[in-house]
Structure formats: C-alpha cells, structure tokens
Amino acid sequence: MRVLIRFLRRGPAGAVEQKDKLHDGEAVTLGRATDQVVQLKDRRVALAHARMVLRNGQPVLISQVPGGVLVNGTLQREARLNPGDTVSLGANLLRILEPVAGCDLAFSFELDAAARADELPVDLPRLRLADLGLAKRRWAWALFLGVLLLALLIPTTGLRSPALQDTLRGGLLPDDGFWSPGPVSRVHETVGARCEACHEKPFQRVRNEACLTCHAGGLHGHVGGGAAKDGVVLAEVQSVAALDEVRCASCHGEHHEPATLVRNDPAVCVTCHQDLRSTADWSQVTPQVTDFAADHPAFGVPERDESGLRFSHKAHLDAGGVRSPVGDTVLGCGDCHALEPGGARFRPLRMERDCGDCHLLDFDPAFPGRAVPHGDADRVAEFLVDYYSRRFLEGFADPLAAPAGVRRPAPQPTAAERERLLRDARAKAGLVLRDLFERRSCSQCHEVEATAGDPARWTVEPVAIRTAWLPGSRFSHDAHSTALTPCATCHEAVESAAATDVLLPGIDTCRDCHAGGDARATPANQVTSTCVLCHGFHQPQNPLWRVTAESS
Amino acid sequence: MAGTGSRQALHQSVLAYRGSRYLWVALALCLGAIVAYAWHSPGVPPNGGTWLGYTLGTVGAVLILWLMSFGIRKRSYASRAGTVQGWLSAHVYLGLALLVVVTLHAGFQLGWNVHTLAYVLTCIVVASGVFGVFVYVRYPQFLSDNRGSQTKAQLLADLADLDSRSLRVAAGMPPEFAEALRANRDRTLIGGTALALLAARDRSQIMLPLAVNTAGAVAFRQVANPDQAALLDYLGQRLAASGDGGLSRQLQELLSLAGARRTVLARLRRDAQLKAWLEIWLYVHVPLSFGLLAALLAHVLAVFIYW
Amino acid sequence: MTGPHYRIAIVGSGPGGLSAAAHAAELGVDHILLESGPAHAGTIQRYQKGKHVMAEPGALPLRSDLPFAAGTRESILQAWHAGLGQRRVNVRYGAEVTGIGGESPSFTIRLKDGGSVTASNVILAIGVQGNPRKLGVPGEDLPCVQYTLDDPDEYRDETIVVVGAGDAAIENAVALARHNRVLIVNRSDEFNRVKEGNLNLVTKAIEDKRLECAYKSATTRIERSPDGQRYVFVLAGDQGESRVECDRIIARIGARPPRKFVESCGIRFPGPDPAALPTLTSRYESSVPGLFVIGALGGYPLIKQAMNQGYEAVEYALGRSIEPADQPLLAAKFASLPFGLGVDETLALMQARIPVFSAINPLNFRELVLGSQVLTPVAGEVIFRKNDYTNSFFTILAGSVELEVGEERRSRLSLGAGQFFGEMSLLSGRRRSATTWAGSGCVLIESPRREINKLISSVDGVRRVIDEHFIARAIQTSFAPDASLEELKKVAAGARLRRYKPDEVVFAEGDEADSLHLIRSGSVAVARDLGGREVVTSYVAAGNYVGEMGLVSRTARSATVRATVATETISLDAAAFHELLGRNPSLRDQVQGTVRRRLAENTRMAGQPRSGDLISFLMDQGLGEATDVLLIDETLCIGCDNCEKACAETHDGTSRLDREAGPTFAHIHVPTSCRHCEDPHCMTDCPPDAIGRAPNGEVYIRDNCIGCGNCERNCPYGVIQMAATAPEKPGLFSWLLFGAGPGPGEVPHEPANDAGQGPKKAVKCDMCRDLSGGPACVRACPTGAAIRIGPERFVELIHEATR
C-alpha cells in the first residue's frame, strides 16, 4: 500500500511545521521501537503498538497491544479507518485525511504540544486488570460455547445417524457416553455403550419393548414357565390388567452406583397391594398389604403335618441323651439335618443316612450284623423267607449243631425233609417279621398295618416329609447364618413330641428381627424388610401367585 | 467496623445487610434440603432421578439462573426491585446454599460425565465467589489506609510533579544526573502484567553512569532499581564523594525527592495490587458461571434426551 | 455643536435595543441605534461558538419585528442581522454614549468621539454587563487591543499580552498559551483574589514556562512596531520600562458597572444595594420622563422579555398605549379570582390590600406577580407542612390562614388579609417551621424565592418589614409560641440581625455572656479549649439557638462558637431574653433541658478525641450547610464506581457525582456530589429561575435551564456541570453479550466538539426525584458503602465512624 504520512509539529509559539512522507509497503507500523515506520517518542506507546494494512481496498488498523488502540475515543483491537477518524497513541494524535490521489491512505500525525518529551506523564496505562486485555466477555463466550459444543452439540449429532454415532464412539470426540450418569449393572454389560439399545428415541422414556427384545415373554403378571432367548430366562406371564401400564424401568433402575437393578422400596409392590381390589377380583389373597411389620398376613402354614411318621423331636433332643448302639448320645439338630449345598434349604432326610445309626434293622440276635433293607414291606418279607430258607436248607439239623469250621459233606435231604425245612423256615420268617413290624423296629417310626392270612402281610403307611416350606418366599437358612443363630431361636423342636407338629416359626418370630420396609423407621437392632427381600416378582414356580392367577 | 453491628447502622456490610436476613433464608433452604434428603428413601441410591432429585435439581437450576441475573440487576440502574446491596447479600448467601442443594441433587454420585462437569463448575464458581466475598470485606480497609486521603489521580500527579521537580534540580547539575533521572522515570514500571499487579513486584530499572569507557566518558549501565534503591544508593555515594557544597545541596535535594518518589510509587503499587485482587476473582467467577450455564443446559437436555 | 435630531434614540444594541430599533424602523419613525461595540448584541456575540440559546420563558409570546426562537448563537445573530438589513435600521456602531442630558422632548446624547445626538425619547437598553475598563493609556484604541476573548483557539502562534490578574485574565492567558506565546501582566506581585483553581493553573503554567508573567508592572503605552505589521506593548516594572513586540493585547481588567452612568442620566434608584433596580413606571419609563429603561438593566434578564419591552417601549415612546405582551399570562393567572376585575385593576387591588407590596413600583410588582402563582385553596387545605423544604413566600390577598407555631408546646394562630407568611424558610433556606392551612375564602399569592429576594434587595421597605417579621416570628417559634407577634415586636426591637463569614467567631470561650443567638441561616460549630487545643464538640444547624448556657447560668461563655459557613443569626440581648423567660415560665425548663442535653453531648464528644476532628472535617466539606449529603464509608467501598454509572445511566448519560474525587477522613469519604445546601449557592443567580427545591429538600434544575452556567460558577463544591444529553446507547444486553456500544456509565466518546451535541444544560444531583425509591447511587452500591444522610444524623455518623 502507498501511504501519505503528514507530520505536524506545533510548537508553543512556533509555527506549524508540516512534513509529508510517502511510504510504500504492505503495512504501516506504529510504535516506540526504531524499526517502526512511524516511531513514536512516547512511553505510553508500546514498542510495536499498532499496524495499518490494506484489506481489500479498505485501510484497517490492527492493535498490537492486548488492550486495543483508542480509535475515535474507544479502545478497539481492530478498526476500519475512514477519513476524519482519529487514533490516539499516547500523546500522539493521528488523523485520517481525505485520500490523496495515488495513495491508498493519508493521515496526519501530530505530537500534542502539551506533550513535550519531558512533560509526558510516567507510563501508567496498566494499573487495572481491565487494561491488560483480560476480557471477561470473551472468556465467558469461549467457555459457554466450548462446553455447549463438547457436552451437548457434538454428542447430539450422533443421534442423527447410527453411522455418525459409531464414528463418534470410535473417535476421540465426545459421544453420548459423556451423558451416562453411571455404569450399567453387570448383567447389562452385554449392551455395552449402545445407549440406543434401551433409549430408542430421544426424549422418550425407555419402553418395555426395549427390554423385551432380550427378555422374551410378557412381564406383567406373576406366573409362568420360562421361555428362553439369548440365554436369559424370564417369566412368561399371564397378563394382569392392572400391570399393563407399568414400566420395567419403574422397578428396574439402571445407571446407579452401586449398581442395583431392582428397586427395593415397598412402594414397588405396595402401590397395587395396598388395595388389590382395585386391580382385579382377588378372592383368596389379602386385599391389603402395605408393610411387613404392619399388616403382612400370617404365613400360610398347615396346622398339622401328616408325614405318616411317628417321631418326637422332644425324645431325640433329650438333654439326657438317647440310647444308641454306642451308648447314650446327646443329639443336636445338625446330627440329622444338614444344609443343602447352596445353603438355601436342608437336604431331604434319608432313613439309612440320618436315622440308621441308631435305628438298626437287625432281626436275629444270633446274627447281629444282619439287617433287613429299609423301604418296601413286602421286600422285607421276601428277604427274611429267603434268608431262613437258605439257612435251613444248608444245615438241616440244628444249624447251630454244626461245629464251626468242620467241613463234612452234608447229607442231601430228602424231598420230604426239604418240604418240612422250608415250612419251618417260612414259619420262622413269619415270627421274625411280626416281631420286626409290630414290636421291634418299624412300628417305632411308622404306622404299620397287619393283614392276617397265610402268610400274614404288613403294610407301612407311605411317608411324605415336606422339604420346602413357605414356597412363596425366598428364605435362605444360610443367609440367617445357622452358625450364629441356634435353630431353637425359630424352631421349638425341643418341646415337640408329635411328628405332626409344624415347627415353623410364626411371622412374629420373623418380626423380632425383621422391621417393615421403611428404612427410616427401622430400629438399630432390626433389618429393614421390603417386599422384595422375601418375595420375587417374576417367579415361575410360586404357589402364592399360582393361586391368585387361577382366581383371576 | 461500621455495619458489622447487629443494630441498623448507617453503613452496613453486605454480610450484615438487614441483620443478614438472607443468611437465614439460605440456612432455611439448606436445612430443608438436608432434612428432605435424610427423610427421603427411594428404592435406589439417591440420585437426580427421584422426585426429590428432580425437585432439588429444579431448585438448583432456578437458583443458578437467578444468581446469574445479578449481573443484569446490578446494571439496570433504574430498577426498583430491591437495592443492589440487598441483591448482593442474597447472591452471596444463596450462592453458598446452592452448593448444598446441588450436592444433594447429585446424591454424591460423581463420574466422568456432563453431570459431574456441571457440578464441578458450580463448585469452582462458588469457591471463587467466596474468595470474592473475602476480598470485598477485607480489602477496602487496606485500600483506604494505603491511599490515606489521596486519590489515585493525585498520587499520579504527585509522581509526575516529583519527576519534573527532580529534573529541574538536575538541570543545574552535571548532565549524567538528568540522564539517569530521565532513564529512571522512563524505566519505572507499575503493573503492566497481571502478575506484576497482583504481586506488586517492582521491575523498574535505571541507567546509571557506573562505568567509564575507554574514551574516558561516563558509560551508562542498566541496573535493576526496585524501590528506587539503586538510585538512592548512587546518589548517596555521589553525596559521600562530593566535596563541592553546591553539588551536595543539590544531591541532598535529589535524595529527598527520590525518597518521596519511592513512597509514592510504593503506595501506587499497593493501590493497584489491592484493586487487582478486588477484581481478579471476577475473571474466574464470571466466565466459569457462563461455562456452568452451558453445562447446566447440556445436563438438563442430556437427562431428557436419554430419559 | 449638536448632531442630528431623532424621534427615538436607542442606546445599546442588545436584544431589547435591536427589537426597539426594528419596531421603530417598521413604523417608519426616524430613529438611531447607538452601539458602543463593533457589532450588535455584543453579549451574545461573546457566547462560545455553536452555543445553544434558549427562548425562555416558553409561555411568554414574542412580540417583536425581529425573529427569535431557541437555536444556535449563529442562527439567531444571523436572523437578527437579516432583520436589521431589511428594515434599514439606522445603527451606529462604535458609538459609546458617555452621558445623556436634557429632558424630553430634547435629550442630548453625548458620544465618546465628542459628537452628540439629540432625541425626543431615549430608550436605554445597555444591559448590566457594563463597558469593559479600558487600559487608559496611549494606544488603547489600536485594533490590536481587545477587551474580550471569544475563542482562544482562534489564535495560533501569536505573541499575545494579557493585561489583568483576575479570573478572566488567567483563564484567557492559560487557554491562549496552548498555541501561543503569552505574557500576562500583573500589577501586583502575586495573584490574589482569584479562584483557587485558577491560582494553581496560572502558577503551574508559569512554573512550567508555558506562560510568562510580568509582576509589579503597569501598562504605559502601546505603539505600532516599526515595520507596522505588529505592535509593541510597553510596560513599566520595577526594573524600569520594557518593550514587548506582540500581535495582540487582551485587556481583562474588569468592567465598569452601568449604575453610575445610569444615575448620571438622572435616573433614580430605590436604594444603595448594588442589586437594586431603577425605579420604573409600568411603561418602563424611568424617573426621567421620556427616558425608558428596558432589558436586563430594568431587571429583565431574559432575551424574549427584553425584545418584547423594546417593542412596547417604542409604542409608549410614541405616546400610544399598548397592553403588554404578558397581559394574557396575567389574565390566565387571575382567571380563578373571585373579584371579576381586569388585570390592571387586580394588580392595583393587590398592591392596595397588601402593605408589603405597596412600596413596590407597579412594573416590578407586575413582574413579581408574573413570576408568582395565585392560589385559591379551599378551607382546611394544607398550604405547606412543617419541615417541608419549600421556600416560596406567601401573601394573603383575601380570607385567612391558620398556622401552628411552637416546638414543645404548639399554639395555633390565624393571619388575615394583607399579612404574609413563609418568610422564615425564604430567608433561612431551612425547612418550614410551621404547618399552615387555608382558612375560608382564602386567596394567596405564592411568590418564588428569587422574585422576593429581588424585591428585598431593591426595595428597602419590603426588606425592613420582612426582617422584623422574621425576627419576631423566629422568637415566637422557638421561645414564645403563645405570645402574639405584636408583643414580640417589642422584644424583637432589642434583637439584632448579625451576619458572619465562614470561620468567623460568633462568641469566644470566656467572653461575657451578653446575648443568645438564634441561627437564622447557615450553621455553627461549638468548640472548647481542651489542654490548649481547640476541639470541636458539636455543631448546631440553622433554626436552633446557641449561647443560652451563659445566659441561663449567668456565667462567661463556656465554649467558642464559629460560623461553619456564611451564617446569619438573630442575637437577643440578655434583657430581652430574660424578659422572655419571665413571660413564659415553661420556657425556662425548656431552655434548661437544652442546656442539659448539650452538656451531656459535649462531655461525650470530649470523650472521643477523633470525633471533634471528624466534625470539623465534615464542616470543612460544607456539610454545615448541607441538608442531604452523599457519604462513602471507605472500609466498604470497593471502588466499582457503580454509583457513578447508576447516576449517569439514570440521568442522560452524565454522572452528577465523582466518587473518587473528594477528601477522606476517618474512612469517611465525601465524594464530589451535591450537598443540597440549606441556602443553595446555585440558586442565587439563575436567570430563568430554573433551580427549584422540592418539599423534601432536593435542589434540582428544571428543563427551562438556559445553560448560562451561573450555577456552575456559583457552586463552591463544584458539583454542577454543563452537559449535553448523551446520544442513545444500544441496549444493556447487546453490551453485556457483545460489548456493543459504550457500557453503563461510559461516555460515548471523549467530549469533543460541543456544537454537535445539542444544547448544554446545567446538571446536578436531583436526588433522583423522578425515580421512586430513592437515589440511584445509593441503591446501586453493592456493598452499602454509599449512604445519603441529613445533618440530623451527623452525630450518629460521627459516633459510628469513631467507634
């Protein structure tokens, strides 16, 4: 650019000296340094203070100092220069003139008479932070836009197309993962970072269908056998009208640290159960349950338990001990009852394993080792007949007469003798049987019935010992740490003489430790017990639910 | 100090405004939030998604918007909506309350996400605000003590005056003095950079005729001149050395002027320093609160985009 | 020899003279317009370039053959010039009148150049500026000598001699020195009797060698330089004579007030008071028949008035009668009156009925009524309340007025037709001392302070009556509520009105206690000698009394009392005081109560050594006469200047306060901002009477300000500035968000050329009277550092600040 610079010097009394200078170059630099096109002798001016350039025909002044340059009285970092504009640099006044022929720009340049070299005030332009070009506004904008871009705009673009989404997730740019309030629970890790798997549409709450893509089968109801998909089994359910609107998410919260998939506050169930009538005609369930502590119905346990056995816990748990082949022994619960592996329940009792040690099934004092098999009565009879027959046939004289270890050829009995021997054997077996069934062994524990005749027969009432109680709940003995709490805390076995006694504790016993669902109301020495603590929702084999479902 | 008294004083500090009524408002708010939080037991870990979470969130968002609107109220001078002092007082106390509200809103759940970003920004903004309150309450006293009854303009005028006077004295002395004094004036620095302002560091320099070059003429060397020490030192030496009564008198005059100059400079620096501290925190507080505004926007939208 | 004879000769070509001449020309009457200067309307010529001239009073219709409307100085002068041209007005410039002799119909007007003119009638329209004092040395008439300076920037690179050591001289010299070599010639060896600011200005300029000064020097003569291009200014100093070659000489050695001249023409004045106006008939005719006085000289400072009078004066001079231009205005005022009389009759009636006004000449009275309001309040209506700050003066034309006096014990008394009230506040500038209600059939004339002050200064009768009343009523209010004014007049006779300059001692500790002082205006500081050091112990505002202790206890003065500002007191001698005590037993207890209170106060103050200093500091800042002042507690002020911004933003972009400028003591900072003085200095000389006072005290400037700048000059605290309305700014948000335009409180750009900015008017703190909820500065202070308080809370402040 070609610039006309007119230097004016106005003395206190002297005339105005005017000196014109033509400058060619792409810029006019103004500053205190000697290399500047216009050198300003003013300490308030920076070494390189500003520069003028030609931007497509329009002369522009660009500040080289952070604070900006005073153009027409206002600090500006960049200003278009038009005739009449004034630029003040310290005490120097620069006035843009009407353009002169052959020049792109013409300005006059005057050193204020008042500002003679010695009288310029000390250089103090930077006494306030505002003078330092720190500008709140710019920072504010930068931060605002920056945050908006990174935290909102860029991730949002991913919503437009999956492809875009993937590139975002692939690359370094922030993706919608930045919006995740927390990791998903382990079971859902398979979903990974694919937010859209559950959040199908923006601004739409997670729909059940989203869950069902993996979790097949209806969810709204309490019954059903499992249909499987993706190896995740869930209840297949009969519909309960009232539950149709309920969202999975209303019970299953995700993204919570520490991850817990199921809500465990009473409200989950109580919303319906506080007034079941409103949902359907539930004839056989308590229409109103709001809290375990308050109004949970008593457990549905039968009065008596017809197991077909004769048994007295009292007798067995006698502190004095009970007779046994090895002398008197004091028994504990654990001697007969053992937890199943997994520890939820106790394994079913088996006579041979759990009673056999004391309750021997021998039948002939002469041969103590010998015992009848436990189980089918007829097989016992056969066993004995066979046993004695063989015996009688082997040594038809008094078998006891035969000296031990003496091998001498036994005389072969005649047909008639054989007849007699077998008859005797049967008779003998008959005696022993009657003795076993009616006097010695079986009848101690079993109801035995004899039928006269020849031979006479005995039948033992079938035994049915219930292994699972309160099937509607998830009760785990292990969780109640049998090691610490003695069985007696809940089961009053010591006092029970009859096998028909049901030794399950009542709900009150539970309530000794189990408070209601309101954590705030739970005393220090008790456990908050919400519905889901004992009851599951999606439970295929849950008699409670079955009952209700049939009635609905 | 005026205003700290509980009684309705003529001058009341922001904190004591109207018996610090907004302190009580803020405390009530915090208390309410905390009680609700303790009482509230959702089936899930406390978070922004429960009804309490949404409530606290809304309260927090509204608070943030209101707090930021202080910048507008402060500048709408014709506004009759309370006094600016009242607003500031409320701004301070409710700003602190905000911290409690958002913390409970977040339910202490933190992570690498937009939500935590918003939370962290809030914390920083409030923290900077607390610093601001501190300086606002503490520094004006210092400012006033330092300035005495003079204004900055007067101090500057004094400085300029001292310079021209010492130059006039130097006019009748060997040339190197005027040279040195001019150099001293030209190389006196106050502020200039944020650091210099905040630390009130004196990076001034001076050219002193300390060496004699080969030609035998005095050569000037540039030396650091914090608190005019170098100059005073030099003048002292010259005074000690000079036998000429006239010169000594002038030197003494220069010395006294330089001494005066030092005090004036010190005052100016201190003044600038205090003023800088009174302002610097705003350069964090304001921009970050706009960052926060954006984060808040993202936070709210994000929550509802993936509802 | 005598010059030509004219029907009408007009002296002075100000607005009045011009208008008169133009009308004469219009009527084809042979006339002459004599102007001493080189051009017409000298005063207006001297206004700065592009100054906007207002046309007040707006309501008054213009009656003149020359046009006049608000506009720039240039446009107005131009219009007049054209008018003169068209009508071929016979003007003679440079014709300074030295005297007027003879009588109608043949006056002889002697001119400076020796010539003279005779005329049947003379219209004197010379204004009050007077003629500048000439140098009175040979060569004083050379073209290089001028007595005024319009625009200092007009001259560049000249050598200029400024003669004089007054404010005008200094201002001119310093301004010129910017671009010229300037020598200022001072007769004495220092610059005394000049404004503080100007003194610093000139001494600094001289110290910095920007200005040369010749002390102890007198002008001897002025000659042309040998080459004839320039001039030589010869002055005699103590080193003998010295010559200065120069281009221009500006003599600023004051002006000769016109009164002497006017009197020399035989025109009589009512009194010696310099502010007095010549006695005139309602036809502007002076005590010399056929010699008319119009314009500022006649007491009409506004251009429009003068022009109308010029027109009318010509009519009168020609023996016609014409009803004055303001007739309709008066008619409108009187419309509500029950008398059903014409304007002139009503005026006559008023003067007849109201003794105070009887002494005034009809013209001044007309003027007074024009400026006044005629009220017909319904019975029981409150006219003003106790403690209002209004200060207008009321006279009762008909009916009666009830008022309640007394501090502790109140008693009502009633005033009848012809009496007046409201003079207490009028004179003291204090709040109203009593509440007044209108009686039945009440007709009042409410006259603004300025009009009455004009009367008081010009008509002795009025002053005397009002003073008497004031004293009597002052005594009545503070001592004898139930005594009648007539009784008190006797006591009042023993009372003296005393004036004190700032810091003047009213009475000193240890003096014999001979009198009690009722402070009529201003305020006093009470100081006691504590260990050889005089410590101010308290401050007493106008409306209260001091010196009672000595009288009651019949001992010597226990403290020294000084006026903090210009103060007027009424001193009651002991006898009168004791007589009062005698006539009113309860008064004794009351006074003793005061004594006890003060003793307690004094001891408490003495206990706080700094408080005394603080009081005197505050008094030095003019708080002694303040009614409401902005104070900043520096222990709270963060210097954000929000107060200034608020002020600017709520007042057309100009801040009326300067936070930083101003002294500080004990962390109490007194910024440069209006104190709303009891007796506002700014109100003393306001041509359009644009400065008003609201009931709750704030002194404000109305829109009819003509921007003359008198108030700015008169304010001792420099809180008034001349400013133009700032251009519209972009909205707050566009600044907040995008930094568009100047921010709050920022000036759009450096105050450059005034011409572009439209009319400049005086602006000052008006306590944001238009904003509900109090002053913006205080409301905008984020830290509560800024407060506004009245004197009644100073003591509280002092305790707080020194606690």
Side-chain angles (χ1 to χ4, degrees), chain B residues 205-220:
Chain B
Q205 289 183 318
I206 185 174
M207 304 275 280
L208 287 175
L210 295 174
V212 175
N213 65 13
T214 50
V218 285
F220 282 81

Side-chain angles (χ1 to χ4, degrees), chain B residues 7 10 80 82 84 144-145, chain C residues 667 772 779 793 800 803:
Chain B
R7 72 179 183 78
L10 285 172
R80 301 290 100 187
V84 174
S144 171
D145 292 344
Chain C
H667 297 307
S772 60
R779 297 182 57 86
R793 297 191 70 183
E800 190 178 283
R803 201 186 315 116

Side-chain angles (χ1 to χ4, degrees), chain C residues 389 625-629 675-678 693 697 789-792:
Chain C
Y389 263 110
E625 59 181 325
T627 60
D628 182 292
V629 62
R675 288 108 161 97
H676 299 276
C677 307
E678 285 161 355
R693 185 138 210 195
I789 58 172
E792 65 279 3

Side-chain angles (χ1 to χ4, degrees), chain A residues 217-385:
Chain A
L219 293 173
H220 297 156
H222 295 325
V223 190
K229 187 180 176 201
D230 301 355
V232 185
V233 182
L234 236 177
E236 157 223 305
V237 184
Q238 289 183 18
S239 174
V240 173
L243 290 169
D244 283 343
E245 287 70 35
V246 179
R247 305 172 52 240
C248 307
S250 54
C251 302
H252 300 288
E254 252 302 1
H255 297 294
H256 289 319
E257 276 298 311
T260 51
L261 248 185
V262 187
R263 265 174 70 183
N264 67 348
D265 56 331
V268 183
C269 314
V270 168
T271 35
C272 292
H273 279 270
Q274 65 194 351
D275 180 13
L276 269 185
R277 297 234 180 288
S278 63
T279 66
D281 172 27
W282 306 85
S283 53
Q284 306 169 37
V285 224
T286 336
Q288 189 199 37
V289 184
T290 57
D291 186 49
F292 177 73
D295 50 12
H296 191 288
F299 303 143
V301 184
E303 294 300 309
R304 316 160 37 75
D305 174 26
E306 299 300 343
S307 60
L309 270 181
R310 294 205 190 141
F311 182 78
S312 159
H313 279 96
K314 189 165 194 263
H316 283 75
L317 294 170
D318 184 352
V322 289
R323 270 188 295 106
S324 82
V326 290
D328 290 2
T329 11
V330 178
L331 292 178
C333 309
D335 294 330
C336 311
H337 301 287
L339 276 178
E340 272 180 345
R345 305 176 175 181
F346 284 87
R347 71 183 174 200
L349 290 165
R350 268 182 46 229
M351 190 278 177
E352 292 79 0
R353 183 184 59 214
D354 301 321
C355 316
D357 296 356
C358 305
H359 296 269
L360 306 172
L361 293 182
D362 60 335
F363 53 89
D364 192 336
F367 304 95
R370 297 257 174 212
V372 293
H374 183 261
D376 185 348
D378 295 344
R379 280 192 51 245
V380 174
E382 281 163 27
F383 172 84
L384 280 177
V385 170

